Amino acid sequence: MIAAEQAHSSAAPVAIETGKLYVGMDIGGTKTAAVVIDAAGNLGADVLLPTAQGNDGVLRTAEEAMLALAKQTGCAVSDFSAAGLGIPGQVDSVRGVVRYAYNLGVESLELAALLRERTGVEVAIENDVTAAAVGAAHLMQLSGSVAYINLGTGLSAGIVVEGKPWRGSQGLAGEVGHLAVDPRGRLCPCGQRGCLETVASGSALKAYWPAGGEHPGWVLAAAVANGDADAKLAFELLVEGAASTVRAMGVTIAPEAVVIGGGLRKIGTPLIEGIREQLRAWEAESPFLSGFTLSQRLQVLPEGMPAATVGAALSPRV
Ligand SMILES: [Zn+2]
């Protein structure tokens, strides 16, 4: 188990046990983050690289990240026992194939086998949000069932049961962002109307509040504090949508803990407390809903906690 204070300071590598070393990588649309952990979960080297696009670009980026980690660790790439990669898209963890990772320019890629060919290291792949869910449960020391909700540009969730990911058929579990809740709502890129992603995500926030620019989540709290009425309405709609998402996950799987992660959590305390207040209001109206105690189970992924990379590093073993 990685100590919380250590997990917060990824810039300060500690002495790691030689022997079994695992690579954990989070391949994002613009950047790829990677770490090394030992068998005890101690965090060693870490790197951050720009992600190159397309099948060859993604493979090259992953290989370069492993080379950089080996250099920092003072070992050869072949000394790594295994590598776990979190990647967006539809991920078949059994066959090691990722499909429809459009923000990486990837239609279909046999990522695990091809990276193993290049590096000689065993490779496991996982959906990026599922990997972050595994990492969050591990680092936050949450047992039982955990619903991890990623409020980013899009909206999706990862489910962990007793430390293990619940992937579902074809790795599709957790696509709560495309639970359609409003037949008269906005059209979603997925082809449905009124999906939760259209009311609780960075793209929803942009639609609510066009004046917020390219990254409205970064400036929303300040605009609300300054009395901007449009920002305040956008914030309220976002909070309501996010609380609806927590409720949907909550009544479906009755998790021991619900964790909010993703880029929008940078809005900070107002967002998480707003979601909690909305849940409390609904719970006050419904004895049925209050039985799930969701307002008490809600937590936020601490800033700087490397859930995505650590969860990916654990994935070859879960
Ligand atoms: Zn949708």
Side-chain angles (χ1 to χ4, degrees), residues 77-158:
V77 167
S78 57
D79 292 335
F80 293 131
S81 297
L85 277 60
I87 187 164
Q90 200 181 102
V91 177
D92 182 336
S93 295
V94 177
R95 294 176 52 232
V97 178
V98 56
R99 291 193 182 85
Y100 316 125
Y102 293 122
N103 64 345
L104 298 171
V106 169
E107 177 90 20
S108 177
L109 173 61
E110 289 190 34
L111 179 55
L114 292 171
L115 187 60
R116 184 173 57 229
E117 259 174 39
R118 287 187 180 209
T119 61
V121 176
E122 283 302 314
V123 176
I125 67 170
E126 190 76 79
N127 170 270
D128 58 345
V129 175
T130 303
V134 171
H138 177 80
L139 293 168
M140 296 170 77
Q141 305 187 24
L142 304 171
S143 56
S145 52
V146 178
Y148 174 85
I149 297 173
N150 193 75
L151 286 176
T153 306
L155 171 67
S156 61

Coordinates of all heavy atoms in Angstrom, one line a residue, residues 77-158:
V77 N 15.0 -1.8 -19.7 CA 13.6 -2.0 -19.9 C 13.2 -3.5 -19.6 O 12.1 -3.8 -19.0 CB 13.1 -1.6 -21.3 CG1 11.7 -2.1 -21.6 CG2 13.2 -0.1 -21.4
S78 N 14.1 -4.4 -20.0 CA 13.8 -5.8 -19.9 C 13.7 -6.3 -18.4 O 13.3 -7.4 -18.1 CB 14.7 -6.7 -20.7 OG 16.1 -6.4 -20.2
D79 N 14.2 -5.4 -17.5 CA 14.2 -5.7 -16.1 C 12.8 -5.5 -15.5 O 12.5 -6.0 -14.4 CB 15.2 -4.8 -15.3 CG 16.6 -5.2 -15.6 OD1 16.9 -6.4 -16.0 OD2 17.5 -4.3 -15.4
F80 N 11.9 -4.8 -16.2 CA 10.5 -4.6 -15.7 C 9.8 -5.9 -15.7 O 9.8 -6.6 -16.7 CB 9.8 -3.5 -16.5 CG 10.4 -2.1 -16.3 CD1 10.6 -1.3 -17.4 CD2 10.6 -1.6 -15.0 CE1 11.1 -0.1 -17.3 CE2 11.1 -0.3 -14.9 CZ 11.4 0.4 -16.0
S81 N 9.1 -6.3 -14.6 CA 8.3 -7.5 -14.6 C 7.1 -7.5 -15.5 O 6.7 -8.5 -16.1 CB 7.9 -7.8 -13.2 OG 9.0 -8.0 -12.4
A82 N 6.4 -6.3 -15.5 CA 5.2 -6.2 -16.4 C 4.9 -4.7 -16.5 O 5.4 -3.9 -15.7 CB 4.1 -6.9 -15.8
A83 N 4.1 -4.4 -17.5 CA 3.7 -3.0 -17.6 C 2.1 -3.0 -17.8 O 1.6 -3.9 -18.4 CB 4.3 -2.3 -18.9
G84 N 1.5 -2.1 -17.1 CA 0.0 -1.9 -17.2 C -0.2 -0.5 -17.8 O 0.4 0.5 -17.4
L85 N -1.1 -0.5 -18.8 CA -1.4 0.7 -19.6 C -2.9 1.1 -19.5 O -3.7 0.2 -19.8 CB -1.0 0.6 -21.0 CG 0.4 0.8 -21.5 CD1 1.3 -0.2 -20.8 CD2 0.5 0.7 -23.0
G86 N -3.2 2.2 -19.0 CA -4.6 2.7 -19.1 C -4.7 3.6 -20.3 O -3.9 4.4 -20.6
I87 N -5.8 3.3 -21.1 CA -6.0 4.0 -22.3 C -7.5 4.2 -22.6 O -8.3 3.4 -22.2 CB -5.3 3.2 -23.5 CG1 -5.3 4.0 -24.8 CG2 -5.9 1.8 -23.6 CD1 -4.4 3.4 -25.8
P88 N -7.8 5.4 -23.1 CA -9.3 5.6 -23.4 C -9.8 4.7 -24.5 O -9.0 4.2 -25.3 CB -9.3 7.1 -23.8 CG -8.0 7.5 -24.2 CD -7.0 6.6 -23.5
G89 N -11.1 4.6 -24.6 CA -11.6 3.8 -25.7 C -12.2 2.5 -25.1 O -12.3 2.3 -23.9
Q90 N -12.6 1.6 -26.1 CA -13.2 0.3 -25.7 C -12.0 -0.7 -25.6 O -11.3 -1.0 -26.6 CB -14.1 -0.1 -26.8 CG -15.1 -1.2 -26.4 CD -16.0 -1.6 -27.6 OE1 -15.8 -2.6 -28.2 NE2 -17.0 -0.8 -27.9
V91 N -11.7 -1.1 -24.4 CA -10.5 -1.9 -24.1 C -10.9 -3.4 -23.8 O -11.6 -3.7 -22.8 CB -9.7 -1.3 -23.0 CG1 -8.5 -2.2 -22.7 CG2 -9.3 0.1 -23.3
D92 N -10.4 -4.3 -24.6 CA -10.5 -5.7 -24.4 C -9.3 -6.1 -23.6 O -8.2 -6.4 -24.2 CB -10.7 -6.5 -25.7 CG -10.9 -8.0 -25.5 OD1 -10.4 -8.5 -24.5 OD2 -11.4 -8.6 -26.4
S93 N -9.4 -6.2 -22.3 CA -8.2 -6.5 -21.5 C -7.7 -7.9 -21.7 O -6.5 -8.2 -21.5 CB -8.5 -6.3 -20.0 OG -8.8 -5.0 -19.8
V94 N -8.6 -8.8 -22.0 CA -8.2 -10.2 -22.2 C -7.3 -10.4 -23.5 O -6.3 -11.0 -23.5 CB -9.4 -11.1 -22.3 CG1 -9.0 -12.6 -22.6 CG2 -10.2 -11.0 -21.0
R95 N -7.8 -9.8 -24.6 CA -7.0 -9.9 -25.8 C -6.0 -8.8 -26.0 O -5.2 -8.8 -26.9 CB -8.0 -9.9 -27.0 CG -8.8 -11.2 -27.0 CD -9.9 -11.2 -28.1 NE -9.3 -10.9 -29.4 CZ -9.7 -10.0 -30.3 NH1 -10.7 -9.2 -30.0 NH2 -9.1 -9.9 -31.4
G96 N -6.0 -7.8 -25.1 CA -5.0 -6.7 -25.2 C -5.2 -5.8 -26.4 O -4.3 -5.2 -26.9
V97 N -6.5 -5.6 -26.8 CA -6.8 -4.8 -27.9 C -7.6 -3.6 -27.5 O -8.6 -3.7 -26.7 CB -7.6 -5.6 -29.0 CG1 -8.0 -4.7 -30.2 CG2 -6.9 -6.8 -29.4
V98 N -7.3 -2.4 -28.0 CA -8.0 -1.2 -27.8 C -8.7 -0.7 -29.1 O -8.1 -0.8 -30.2 CB -7.2 0.0 -27.2 CG1 -6.0 0.3 -28.0 CG2 -8.0 1.2 -27.0
R99 N -10.0 -0.3 -29.0 CA -10.7 0.1 -30.2 C -11.3 1.5 -29.9 O -11.7 1.8 -28.7 CB -11.9 -0.8 -30.5 CG -11.4 -2.2 -31.0 CD -12.5 -3.0 -31.6 NE -12.0 -4.2 -32.1 CZ -11.9 -5.3 -31.3 NH1 -12.3 -5.2 -30.0 NH2 -11.4 -6.4 -31.8
Y100 N -11.5 2.2 -30.9 CA -12.3 3.5 -30.9 C -11.7 4.5 -29.9 O -12.5 5.2 -29.2 CB -13.8 3.3 -30.6 CG -14.4 2.1 -31.4 CD1 -15.0 1.0 -30.7 CD2 -14.3 2.1 -32.8 CE1 -15.5 0.0 -31.5 CE2 -14.8 1.0 -33.5 CZ -15.4 -0.1 -32.8 OH -15.9 -1.1 -33.5
A101 N -10.4 4.6 -29.8 CA -9.8 5.6 -29.0 C -9.6 6.8 -29.9 O -8.5 7.1 -30.3 CB -8.5 5.1 -28.4
Y102 N -10.7 7.5 -30.2 CA -10.6 8.6 -31.3 C -9.8 9.7 -30.9 O -9.2 10.4 -31.8 CB -12.1 9.0 -31.6 CG -12.9 7.9 -32.3 CD1 -14.1 7.5 -31.7 CD2 -12.4 7.3 -33.4 CE1 -14.8 6.5 -32.3 CE2 -13.1 6.3 -34.0 CZ -14.3 5.9 -33.5 OH -15.1 4.9 -34.1
N103 N -9.7 10.1 -29.6 CA -8.8 11.2 -29.3 C -7.3 10.9 -29.4 O -6.5 11.7 -29.2 CB -9.2 11.9 -27.9 CG -9.0 10.9 -26.8 OD1 -8.8 9.7 -27.0 ND2 -9.0 11.4 -25.6
L104 N -7.0 9.6 -29.7 CA -5.6 9.2 -29.9 C -5.4 8.9 -31.4 O -4.3 8.5 -31.8 CB -5.3 8.0 -29.1 CG -5.3 8.1 -27.6 CD1 -5.2 6.8 -26.9 CD2 -4.3 9.1 -27.1
G105 N -6.5 9.0 -32.2 CA -6.4 8.6 -33.6 C -6.2 7.1 -33.8 O -5.6 6.7 -34.7
V106 N -6.8 6.4 -32.9 CA -6.7 4.9 -32.9 C -8.1 4.3 -33.2 O -9.0 4.5 -32.4 CB -6.1 4.3 -31.6 CG1 -6.3 2.8 -31.6 CG2 -4.7 4.7 -31.5
E107 N -8.2 3.5 -34.2 CA -9.5 2.8 -34.5 C -9.4 1.4 -33.9 O -10.4 1.0 -33.3 CB -9.6 2.7 -36.1 CG -10.8 1.9 -36.6 CD -12.0 2.8 -36.8 OE1 -11.9 4.0 -36.9 OE2 -13.1 2.3 -36.8
S108 N -8.3 0.7 -34.1 CA -8.1 -0.6 -33.5 C -6.6 -0.9 -33.4 O -5.9 -0.7 -34.4 CB -8.8 -1.7 -34.4 OG -8.6 -2.9 -33.8
L109 N -6.2 -1.3 -32.2 CA -4.7 -1.5 -32.0 C -4.5 -2.7 -31.1 O -5.0 -2.7 -30.0 CB -4.1 -0.2 -31.5 CG -2.6 -0.2 -31.0 CD1 -1.7 -0.6 -32.2 CD2 -2.2 1.1 -30.4
E110 N -3.7 -3.6 -31.5 CA -3.3 -4.7 -30.6 C -2.1 -4.2 -29.8 O -1.0 -4.6 -29.9 CB -2.8 -5.9 -31.5 CG -4.0 -6.6 -32.2 CD -3.6 -7.9 -32.8 OE1 -2.8 -8.6 -32.3 OE2 -4.2 -8.2 -33.9
L111 N -2.5 -3.4 -28.8 CA -1.5 -2.6 -28.1 C -0.6 -3.6 -27.2 O 0.6 -3.4 -27.2 CB -2.2 -1.6 -27.2 CG -1.3 -0.7 -26.3 CD1 -0.2 0.0 -27.1 CD2 -2.2 0.3 -25.6
A112 N -1.2 -4.5 -26.5 CA -0.4 -5.3 -25.6 C 0.6 -6.2 -26.3 O 1.8 -6.2 -25.9 CB -1.4 -6.2 -24.8
A113 N 0.2 -6.9 -27.4 CA 1.1 -7.7 -28.1 C 2.2 -7.0 -28.8 O 3.4 -7.4 -28.7 CB 0.3 -8.6 -29.1
L114 N 1.8 -5.8 -29.4 CA 2.8 -5.1 -30.2 C 3.9 -4.4 -29.2 O 5.1 -4.4 -29.6 CB 2.2 -4.0 -31.1 CG 1.3 -4.6 -32.2 CD1 0.5 -3.6 -32.9 CD2 2.3 -5.3 -33.2
L115 N 3.4 -3.9 -28.1 CA 4.4 -3.3 -27.1 C 5.3 -4.4 -26.5 O 6.4 -4.1 -26.3 CB 3.6 -2.5 -26.1 CG 4.5 -1.7 -25.1 CD1 5.3 -0.6 -25.9 CD2 3.7 -1.0 -24.1
R116 N 4.7 -5.5 -26.3 CA 5.5 -6.7 -25.8 C 6.6 -7.0 -26.8 O 7.7 -7.3 -26.4 CB 4.6 -7.8 -25.4 CG 5.3 -9.0 -24.8 CD 4.4 -10.1 -24.3 NE 3.6 -10.6 -25.4 CZ 2.3 -10.7 -25.4 NH1 1.6 -10.4 -24.4 NH2 1.6 -11.2 -26.5
E117 N 6.2 -7.0 -28.1 CA 7.2 -7.4 -29.1 C 8.4 -6.4 -29.1 O 9.5 -6.7 -29.3 CB 6.5 -7.3 -30.5 CG 6.2 -8.6 -31.1 CD 5.4 -8.4 -32.4 OE1 5.7 -7.5 -33.2 OE2 4.4 -9.2 -32.6
R118 N 8.0 -5.1 -28.9 CA 9.0 -4.0 -29.0 C 9.9 -4.0 -27.7 O 11.1 -3.6 -27.8 CB 8.4 -2.7 -29.1 CG 7.8 -2.4 -30.4 CD 7.3 -0.9 -30.5 NE 6.7 -0.6 -31.7 CZ 6.7 0.6 -32.3 NH1 7.3 1.6 -31.7 NH2 6.2 0.8 -33.5
T119 N 9.4 -4.4 -26.6 CA 10.1 -4.2 -25.3 C 10.5 -5.5 -24.6 O 11.4 -5.5 -23.7 CB 9.2 -3.4 -24.3 OG1 8.1 -4.2 -24.0 CG2 8.9 -2.0 -24.9
G120 N 9.9 -6.6 -24.9 CA 10.1 -7.9 -24.3 C 9.5 -8.0 -22.9 O 9.7 -8.9 -22.1
V121 N 8.6 -7.0 -22.6 CA 8.0 -6.9 -21.3 C 6.5 -7.3 -21.4 O 5.8 -7.0 -22.4 CB 8.1 -5.5 -20.7 CG1 7.3 -5.4 -19.3 CG2 9.5 -5.1 -20.5
E122 N 6.0 -8.1 -20.4 CA 4.6 -8.5 -20.4 C 3.7 -7.2 -20.3 O 4.0 -6.3 -19.5 CB 4.2 -9.4 -19.3 CG 4.6 -10.8 -19.5 CD 4.0 -11.5 -20.7 OE1 2.8 -11.3 -20.9 OE2 4.7 -12.1 -21.5
V123 N 2.7 -7.1 -21.1 CA 1.9 -5.8 -21.1 C 0.4 -6.2 -20.8 O -0.1 -7.1 -21.5 CB 2.0 -5.1 -22.4 CG1 1.1 -3.9 -22.4 CG2 3.5 -4.7 -22.6
A124 N -0.2 -5.5 -19.9 CA -1.7 -5.6 -19.7 C -2.3 -4.2 -20.0 O -1.7 -3.2 -19.7 CB -2.0 -6.0 -18.3
I125 N -3.5 -4.2 -20.6 CA -4.1 -2.9 -20.9 C -5.5 -2.8 -20.2 O -6.1 -3.9 -20.0 CB -4.2 -2.5 -22.4 CG1 -5.1 -3.5 -23.1 CG2 -2.8 -2.5 -23.0 CD1 -5.4 -3.0 -24.5
E126 N -5.9 -1.6 -19.9 CA -7.1 -1.4 -19.1 C -7.7 -0.1 -19.6 O -7.0 0.9 -20.0 CB -6.7 -1.2 -17.6 CG -7.9 -1.2 -16.7 CD -8.5 -2.6 -16.4 OE1 -7.9 -3.4 -15.7 OE2 -9.5 -2.9 -17.1
N127 N -9.0 0.0 -19.6 CA -9.6 1.3 -19.9 C -9.1 2.3 -18.9 O -8.9 2.0 -17.7 CB -11.2 1.2 -19.7 CG -11.9 2.5 -19.7 OD1 -12.1 3.1 -18.7 ND2 -12.2 3.0 -20.9
D128 N -8.8 3.6 -19.3 CA -8.2 4.5 -18.4 C -8.9 4.9 -17.2 O -8.4 5.0 -16.1 CB -7.8 5.8 -19.2 CG -9.0 6.5 -19.8 OD1 -10.0 5.9 -20.0 OD2 -8.8 7.7 -20.2
V129 N -10.3 5.0 -17.3 CA -11.1 5.3 -16.1 C -11.2 4.1 -15.2 O -11.1 4.3 -13.9 CB -12.5 5.9 -16.5 CG1 -13.3 6.1 -15.3 CG2 -12.3 7.2 -17.3
T130 N -11.2 2.9 -15.7 CA -11.2 1.7 -14.9 C -9.9 1.6 -14.1 O -9.9 1.3 -12.9 CB -11.4 0.5 -15.7 OG1 -12.7 0.6 -16.4 CG2 -11.5 -0.8 -14.9
A131 N -8.8 1.9 -14.8 CA -7.5 1.9 -14.1 C -7.5 3.0 -13.0 O -7.0 2.7 -11.9 CB -6.4 2.2 -15.1
A132 N -8.0 4.2 -13.3 CA -8.0 5.2 -12.2 C -8.9 4.8 -11.1 O -8.5 5.1 -9.9 CB -8.5 6.5 -12.8
A133 N -9.9 4.1 -11.3 CA -10.8 3.6 -10.3 C -10.0 2.6 -9.4 O -10.1 2.7 -8.1 CB -12.0 2.9 -10.8
V134 N -9.3 1.7 -10.0 CA -8.5 0.7 -9.2 C -7.4 1.4 -8.4 O -7.2 1.2 -7.2 CB -7.8 -0.3 -10.2 CG1 -6.8 -1.2 -9.4 CG2 -8.9 -1.2 -10.9
G135 N -6.8 2.4 -9.0 CA -5.8 3.2 -8.3 C -6.4 4.0 -7.2 O -5.8 4.1 -6.1
A136 N -7.5 4.6 -7.4 CA -8.2 5.4 -6.3 C -8.5 4.5 -5.1 O -8.3 4.9 -4.0 CB -9.4 6.1 -6.9
A137 N -9.1 3.4 -5.4 CA -9.5 2.5 -4.3 C -8.3 2.0 -3.5 O -8.3 2.0 -2.3 CB -10.2 1.2 -4.9
H138 N -7.2 1.8 -4.3 CA -5.9 1.3 -3.6 C -5.3 2.4 -2.8 O -5.0 2.3 -1.6 CB -5.0 0.8 -4.7 CG -3.6 0.4 -4.1 ND1 -3.4 -0.8 -3.6 CD2 -2.5 1.1 -4.1 CE1 -2.2 -0.9 -3.2 NE2 -1.6 0.3 -3.5
L139 N -5.2 3.6 -3.4 CA -4.5 4.7 -2.7 C -5.3 5.3 -1.6 O -4.7 5.8 -0.6 CB -4.1 5.8 -3.7 CG -3.1 5.4 -4.8 CD1 -3.0 6.5 -5.9 CD2 -1.7 5.2 -4.1
M140 N -6.6 5.3 -1.7 CA -7.5 5.9 -0.7 C -7.9 4.8 0.3 O -8.7 5.1 1.2 CB -8.7 6.5 -1.4 CG -8.4 7.7 -2.2 SD -9.8 8.3 -3.2 CE -10.7 9.2 -2.0
Q141 N -7.4 3.6 0.1 CA -7.6 2.5 1.0 C -9.1 2.2 1.2 O -9.6 2.1 2.4 CB -6.9 2.7 2.4 CG -5.4 3.0 2.2 CD -4.7 3.1 3.5 OE1 -5.1 2.6 4.5 NE2 -3.5 3.8 3.5
L142 N -9.8 2.1 0.1 CA -11.3 1.9 0.1 C -11.5 0.4 -0.2 O -11.0 -0.1 -1.2 CB -12.0 2.7 -0.9 CG -11.7 4.2 -0.9 CD1 -12.3 4.9 -2.1 CD2 -12.4 4.8 0.4
S143 N -12.2 -0.3 0.7 CA -12.5 -1.7 0.5 C -14.0 -1.8 0.0 O -14.7 -0.9 -0.1 CB -12.3 -2.5 1.7 OG -13.1 -2.0 2.8
G144 N -14.4 -3.0 -0.3 CA -15.7 -3.3 -0.8 C -15.9 -2.8 -2.2 O -15.0 -2.8 -3.0
S145 N -17.1 -2.3 -2.5 CA -17.3 -1.8 -3.9 C -17.2 -0.3 -3.9 O -17.6 0.4 -3.0 CB -18.8 -2.2 -4.3 OG -19.7 -1.8 -3.3
V146 N -16.6 0.2 -5.0 CA -16.3 1.6 -5.2 C -16.7 2.0 -6.6 O -16.4 1.4 -7.6 CB -14.8 1.9 -5.1 CG1 -14.4 3.4 -5.3 CG2 -14.2 1.4 -3.7
A147 N -17.5 3.1 -6.6 CA -17.8 3.7 -7.9 C -17.0 5.0 -8.1 O -17.0 5.9 -7.2 CB -19.3 4.1 -8.0
Y148 N -16.2 5.0 -9.1 CA -15.3 6.2 -9.4 C -15.9 6.9 -10.6 O -16.0 6.3 -11.7 CB -13.9 5.6 -9.7 CG -12.9 6.7 -10.1 CD1 -12.2 7.5 -9.2 CD2 -12.7 7.0 -11.5 CE1 -11.3 8.5 -9.6 CE2 -11.8 7.9 -11.9 CZ -11.1 8.7 -10.9 OH -10.2 9.6 -11.3
I149 N -16.3 8.2 -10.4 CA -16.9 8.9 -11.5 C -15.9 10.0 -12.0 O -15.4 10.8 -11.2 CB -18.2 9.6 -10.9 CG1 -19.2 8.5 -10.5 CG2 -18.8 10.5 -12.0 CD1 -20.4 9.1 -9.8
N150 N -15.6 9.8 -13.3 CA -14.6 10.7 -13.9 C -15.4 11.9 -14.6 O -15.9 11.7 -15.7 CB -13.8 9.9 -14.9 CG -12.6 10.7 -15.4 OD1 -11.6 10.8 -14.6 ND2 -12.6 11.2 -16.6
L151 N -15.3 13.0 -13.9 CA -15.9 14.3 -14.5 C -14.9 15.0 -15.3 O -14.1 15.8 -14.7 CB -16.5 15.2 -13.4 CG -17.7 14.8 -12.6 CD1 -18.0 15.8 -11.5 CD2 -18.9 14.8 -13.5
G152 N -14.8 14.7 -16.6 CA -13.8 15.3 -17.4 C -14.4 16.0 -18.6 O -15.6 16.5 -18.4
T153 N -13.8 16.1 -19.7 CA -14.4 16.6 -20.9 C -15.7 15.8 -21.2 O -16.7 16.3 -21.5 CB -13.5 16.5 -22.1 OG1 -12.3 17.2 -21.8 CG2 -14.1 17.2 -23.3
G154 N -15.6 14.5 -21.0 CA -16.7 13.6 -21.1 C -17.1 13.1 -19.7 O -16.5 13.6 -18.7
L155 N -17.9 12.1 -19.6 CA -18.3 11.5 -18.3 C -18.3 10.0 -18.4 O -19.0 9.4 -19.3 CB -19.7 12.0 -18.0 CG -20.4 11.4 -16.8 CD1 -19.7 11.7 -15.5 CD2 -21.9 11.8 -16.7
S156 N -17.6 9.4 -17.5 CA -17.7 7.9 -17.5 C -17.3 7.5 -16.1 O -16.9 8.3 -15.2 CB -16.8 7.2 -18.5 OG -15.4 7.6 -18.3
A157 N -17.4 6.2 -15.8 CA -17.1 5.7 -14.4 C -16.4 4.4 -14.5 O -16.4 3.7 -15.5 CB -18.5 5.5 -13.7
G158 N -15.7 4.1 -13.4 CA -15.1 2.8 -13.2 C -15.6 2.2 -11.9 O -15.9 2.9 -11.0

